[in-house]
Amino acid sequence: MGRRAAVATCPHEEQGLLLSSSEHVLPKQDVRDVNKSDDFVSTPCARSNPRWAQAQKTRNHNRMKESSTCNTTDRPRWMTTRRDFHDDEKSMRGLGRRCAARLGLGTLIFLGVIQLFSVLSGLLIVFVPDGIHRITDKWGQIGHIGEGLSSWPTDFSRGVLPIPCHSHNDYWRRVPLYSAIEAGCISVEADVWLFRDELYVGHSLASLTPNRTLASLYVDPLVQILEKQNPTTQFHSDGSLSQHGVFDTEPEQSLTLLIDFKTSGSALFPYVVSALEPLRSRGHLTYRNGTQTINRPITVIGTGNTPFNLVDSDLVNPHHDIFFDAPLAAMWEGLPGETSTLASRPESPVYGADIDASMPASLASEREKQSASEDNMGQGMSGAPQSPDAYTTENSIYASVSFTQAIGHVLFGKLSDSQMKLIRGHIRGAHRRGLKVRYWELPFWPIGLRNYVWDLLVKEGVDILNVDDLKGATKVDWGKKTGWWS
């Protein structure tokens, strides 16, 4: 009986039908399964004709190769499967992604070329400058225009504009004194302690070191700075005739050295007088000549435990070149008909020593004398006079007080009307006496609240702004409204 094999009409057909002898027909199955199945060689046709079986395996193998390599687009439309449509969709999405990636890469390359061109143009100006740039870049250098003219004898602080701020706890800064001058502050502070006949500078006894003294941190550097600012030349042979201060832009501006007496004022005072001699002998200290104040590059003011009675003494302060930091709280003055809770209380000659209205007059008088005799009472209170009218330009320059103690905390981000009345009364009383107003212990956080207080005080007429953040006070526009309290 003859045998024949039915082959698939197309090599893409996934299902085939193998016909053997008329009495045996293979089931319809995947050609690859038939090729791998052990049952295929066990059929009657395969057992009776091994050559036929081998030929069938080879034919099926070739069909499988053609199926994997042929292009599906060669098939008739009616033979396209769902899988083919899915593959075409994936191929289109991949093509879109590749186009988008190439477009993005091209854009980046284009922008990079533009940036490179800009950089090269800048370098061209740097390395091949035009005429005016060649002159300004090389000005003053040897062999160029302006040789020897690029600097001045008083270049120490060229470009620094002095502003009315006080460098609080200046000695704590990484570079004491110089950082404040660089920022433009016209006032610096040094806390001074007397220990074994030497004046040490520091915030507390635990922070003192042998090499940090009033001389090493302030007196000697100021002498060196002022020697550079007042060179002896054919045009300026007598330095005493025209004293230039530390600021080259405003030579007449005096720098205030605020010395905070930390130990006993009466014991410390003569040592401070002696320590200032290098500045005094060169004519650098501001002083009173009996009728007026002679302004010089350095103005020394005593605060903390500085005794007022020694500052005002011709015997202890014979040169009258150490001035007093008066108690601002004692100077409140209201407008006609205006009263204050502070002004309505009985006056005390010593700031901070409130006298009870019910206290007998004799006892109150005795308390006043006891307070005035003590010299460790703190800012504005040591050796205080009987009346705040004793503070004048003959003995005082600053009038200061703790903002927190005198005005109080800033609640709800804004000063109250009563607080504003206190501030205006303080400023009014100090200015009537010719003194400069300074509040210390100002709010420092939040920054917006601090800036609000700074801006308000300056607008109200405070003369010296007490600051810890030099950059925030001198480099930032803190007058700009930055918070809900503005």
Side-chain angles (χ1 to χ4, degrees), residues 452 455 459 477-483 486:
Y452 159 75
D455 186 51
K459 289 179 178 178
D477 182 14
W478 42 264
K480 183 179 180 181
K481 306 305 182 183
T482 57
S486 301

Short mmCIF file of all heavy atoms in Angstrom, two decimals, residues 452 455 459 477-483 486:
data_model
loop_
_atom_site.label_atom_id
_atom_site.label_comp_id
_atom_site.label_asym_id
_atom_site.label_seq_id
_atom_site.Cartn_x
_atom_site.Cartn_y
_atom_site.Cartn_z
N TYR A 452 12.66 93.16 61.58
CA TYR A 452 11.58 94.10 61.86
C TYR A 452 11.96 95.05 62.98
O TYR A 452 11.75 96.27 62.90
CB TYR A 452 10.30 93.33 62.21
CG TYR A 452 9.28 94.12 62.98
CD1 TYR A 452 8.49 95.09 62.36
CD2 TYR A 452 9.10 93.90 64.35
CE1 TYR A 452 7.56 95.82 63.08
CE2 TYR A 452 8.17 94.62 65.07
CZ TYR A 452 7.40 95.57 64.44
OH TYR A 452 6.47 96.30 65.15
N ASP A 455 14.75 97.50 61.80
CA ASP A 455 14.21 98.52 60.90
C ASP A 455 13.42 99.56 61.69
O ASP A 455 13.54 100.77 61.45
CB ASP A 455 13.33 97.85 59.85
CG ASP A 455 12.83 98.81 58.79
OD1 ASP A 455 13.66 99.53 58.22
OD2 ASP A 455 11.61 98.86 58.55
N LYS A 459 14.40 103.61 62.18
CA LYS A 459 13.44 104.62 61.74
C LYS A 459 13.01 105.53 62.89
O LYS A 459 12.70 106.71 62.68
CB LYS A 459 12.22 103.95 61.12
CG LYS A 459 12.51 103.31 59.76
CD LYS A 459 11.27 102.64 59.20
CE LYS A 459 11.56 102.04 57.82
NZ LYS A 459 10.36 101.33 57.27
N ASP A 477 19.59 93.48 52.85
CA ASP A 477 18.56 94.52 52.95
C ASP A 477 17.53 94.09 53.98
O ASP A 477 16.47 93.58 53.66
CB ASP A 477 17.91 94.73 51.57
CG ASP A 477 16.87 95.85 51.61
OD1 ASP A 477 16.85 96.61 52.60
OD2 ASP A 477 16.09 95.95 50.65
N TRP A 478 17.86 94.31 55.27
CA TRP A 478 16.96 93.87 56.33
C TRP A 478 15.78 94.82 56.50
O TRP A 478 14.86 94.54 57.27
CB TRP A 478 17.69 93.70 57.66
CG TRP A 478 18.67 94.78 58.00
CD1 TRP A 478 20.01 94.75 57.78
CD2 TRP A 478 18.40 96.03 58.64
NE1 TRP A 478 20.59 95.91 58.22
CE2 TRP A 478 19.63 96.71 58.77
CE3 TRP A 478 17.24 96.64 59.11
CZ2 TRP A 478 19.74 97.96 59.35
CZ3 TRP A 478 17.35 97.90 59.69
CH2 TRP A 478 18.59 98.54 59.81
N GLY A 479 15.80 95.95 55.78
CA GLY A 479 14.65 96.84 55.81
C GLY A 479 13.50 96.31 54.97
O GLY A 479 12.36 96.77 55.09
N LYS A 480 13.77 95.29 54.14
CA LYS A 480 12.73 94.71 53.29
C LYS A 480 11.74 93.92 54.15
O LYS A 480 12.14 93.18 55.05
CB LYS A 480 13.37 93.80 52.25
CG LYS A 480 12.40 93.19 51.27
CD LYS A 480 13.14 92.34 50.25
CE LYS A 480 12.20 91.71 49.25
NZ LYS A 480 12.90 90.86 48.26
N LYS A 481 10.47 94.06 53.87
CA LYS A 481 9.44 93.35 54.63
C LYS A 481 9.47 91.87 54.27
O LYS A 481 9.32 91.49 53.10
CB LYS A 481 8.06 93.92 54.33
CG LYS A 481 7.97 95.44 54.54
CD LYS A 481 8.38 95.87 55.92
CE LYS A 481 8.22 97.36 56.11
NZ LYS A 481 8.67 97.84 57.43
N THR A 482 9.68 91.02 55.29
CA THR A 482 9.84 89.60 55.00
C THR A 482 8.92 88.69 55.82
O THR A 482 9.04 87.49 55.73
CB THR A 482 11.30 89.18 55.29
OG1 THR A 482 11.62 89.50 56.65
CG2 THR A 482 12.28 89.90 54.37
N GLY A 483 8.04 89.23 56.63
CA GLY A 483 7.23 88.37 57.46
C GLY A 483 5.82 88.92 57.69
O GLY A 483 5.51 90.06 57.32
N SER A 486 5.31 92.30 59.39
CA SER A 486 5.70 93.56 58.76
C SER A 486 4.47 94.47 58.61
O SER A 486 3.38 93.99 58.34
CB SER A 486 6.31 93.28 57.39
OG SER A 486 7.44 92.45 57.54
#
